[in-house]
Amino acid sequence: MNNTTHKLIILSLLVVFSTQAKAQNISIPDTLSGWTQTWVANLNGSQAAYNNWSQGGVSTLSGTASSVFTLMYKKDQFSYGFRTNLKYGQSKVKDEGVRKTDDLIAISNRFNYQFREDGTLSSYATIAFRTQFDDGFEYTADPNVADVRISSFMAPGYLSESVGLSYKPAPAIIFEAGLGLKQTFVTEDELAPEYGLDPGENFRSEGGLTTGIYYEKEVFENILYTSAVETFTNFLIPFDETDVVWGNELVGKINSLISASFQFELRYDNDFSREIQLKQVLSAGISVNLY
């Protein structure tokens, strides 16, 4: 795949407008009393066609569907949050077929107990699960060489649990630290080595230290900026192999139905690669509150 096509695929990637930070850290309002729930569906798309165009170009057709359901409860000092984040997208590129652009199944549970009435100090416990719907491939530039499958449903799948302390010095920022467990599932034997498992192994469990920094603020009118840094350090491996995820997103509301967002995410997961993973997405589309 040439650089021009690669850039077009990146620019045509479409994502839901719930931020990566929100997907991981369920923020429950201090003003909440009792139960509340939201359900947001997004349908985004883009299309470009060229025929005898002097500047050149590659015809593409892209689309992404997503759904985010959130359930929250608060009474006195105790609160609970539950969220499912589902999304799937594909892009059809001329002469290169259909390729996946986004794929996620994420389920999060968060329990919180405030030590102070102002909410600055609290304890938390989380249970989270993440995998994908469909096969993922590393695409080759040579049309005579088959694309390499590198992932599938529950290959990998991640289940994590953590407990710790949360400090909120200001409404826009939260610091967290705690102890955590992380289970990795790779249900297909041929993919096990891709995620640090020996051939024939399908499961790994790790224990370690978890940290998180979350920031969310409306930087301009109707423009929300969210940033999240999360780490997991296995007690049994060198410190420089710490898993790190840093997600950033700017979301702008054009009106009650249409939004635009820019997402930038870096990941380091030594089990998959010694190199930093990067994701950059610019998107626009329709967002509907179903509940």
Side-chain angles (χ1 to χ4, degrees):
M1 181 169 55
N2 59 42
N3 289 334
T4 300
T5 304
H6 180 71
K7 291 177 181 178
L8 285 169
I9 291 175
I10 291 177
L11 291 174
S12 64
L13 291 175
L14 299 168
V15 297
V16 298
F17 298 120
S18 62
T19 64
Q20 178 70 16
K22 283 187 175 180
Q24 299 298 324
N25 184 61
I26 304 173
S27 180
I28 301 173
D30 294 333
T31 56
L32 178 64
S33 179
W35 291 94
T36 187
Q37 59 185 8
T38 61
W39 186 13
V40 180
N42 299 272
L43 182 60
N44 309 325
S46 69
Q47 182 268 340
Y50 303 89
N51 183 21
N52 194 32
W53 189 249
S54 61
Q55 284 83 14
V58 178
S59 298
T60 62
L61 178 65
S62 300
T64 294
S66 63
S67 172
V68 180
F69 175 78
T70 303
L71 179 68
M72 294 185 290
Y73 172 79
K74 188 175 187 301
K75 183 177 181 181
D76 300 327
Q77 295 168 276
F78 173 78
S79 60
Y80 167 72
F82 169 82
R83 174 173 288 133
T84 63
N85 187 1
L86 311 175
K87 54 185 173 181
Y88 186 80
Q90 289 188 335
S91 178
K92 183 178 181 181
V93 182
K94 184 179 179 181
D95 299 328
E96 295 187 5
V98 176
R99 298 185 174 185
K100 185 172 67 172
T101 58
D102 218 336
D103 193 358
L104 177 67
I105 302 173
I107 302 173
S108 302
N109 293 267
R110 181 181 178 89
F111 304 86
N112 201 76
Y113 184 84
Q114 295 181 352
F115 294 122
R116 298 177 181 174
E117 292 184 1
D118 60 4
T120 56
L121 184 63
S122 60
S123 61
Y124 70 88
T126 66
I127 303 173
F129 169 77
R130 175 169 56 89
T131 187
Q132 59 187 20
F133 289 100
D134 200 4
D135 291 343
F137 293 87
E138 181 177 345
Y139 298 105
T140 62
D142 188 345
N144 298 316
V145 178
D147 299 325
V148 179
R149 190 168 68 111
I150 58 174
S151 60
S152 186
F153 175 73
M154 288 301 294
Y158 299 102
L159 181 65
S160 61
E161 308 88 13
S162 64
V163 294
L165 295 176
S166 176
Y167 177 57
K168 188 176 182 180
I173 191 166
I174 300 173
F175 298 93
E176 293 184 351
L179 300 176
L181 296 174
K182 175 184 174 184
Q183 295 86 45
T184 301
F185 304 86
V186 183
T187 56
E188 301 195 28
D189 292 342
E190 65 270 23
L191 296 178
E194 294 281 347
Y195 300 94
L197 297 177
D198 294 329
E201 290 186 349
N202 301 106
F203 173 80
R204 178 179 65 245
S205 183
E206 304 170 83
L209 174 69
T210 65
T211 66
I213 303 174
Y214 307 96
Y215 180 82
E216 180 179 317
K217 188 174 183 179
E218 188 176 40
V219 291
F220 300 103
E221 185 177 0
N222 294 326
I223 299 178
L224 181 69
Y225 171 62
T226 306
S227 181
V229 179
E230 297 179 332
T231 72
F232 177 81
T233 305
N234 187 329
F235 290 137
L236 302 179
I237 64 176
F239 183 79
D240 63 358
E241 296 182 11
T242 294
D243 294 341
V244 181
V245 177
W246 180 33
N248 299 269
E249 189 163 24
L250 279 170
V251 179
K253 294 287 291 182
I254 299 173
N255 55 41
S256 59
L257 286 178
I258 301 175
S259 300
S261 72
F262 174 75
Q263 184 185 50
F264 178 77
E265 183 176 339
L266 295 176
R267 290 188 179 188
Y268 178 76
D269 184 350
N270 181 71
D271 295 328
F272 178 75
S273 173
R274 294 290 295 181
E275 298 181 359
I276 295 175
Q277 304 173 56
L278 184 148
K279 180 180 180 181
Q280 178 182 308
V281 178
L282 177 64
S283 67
I286 296 174
S287 178
V288 179
N289 292 313
L290 300 177
Y291 190 89

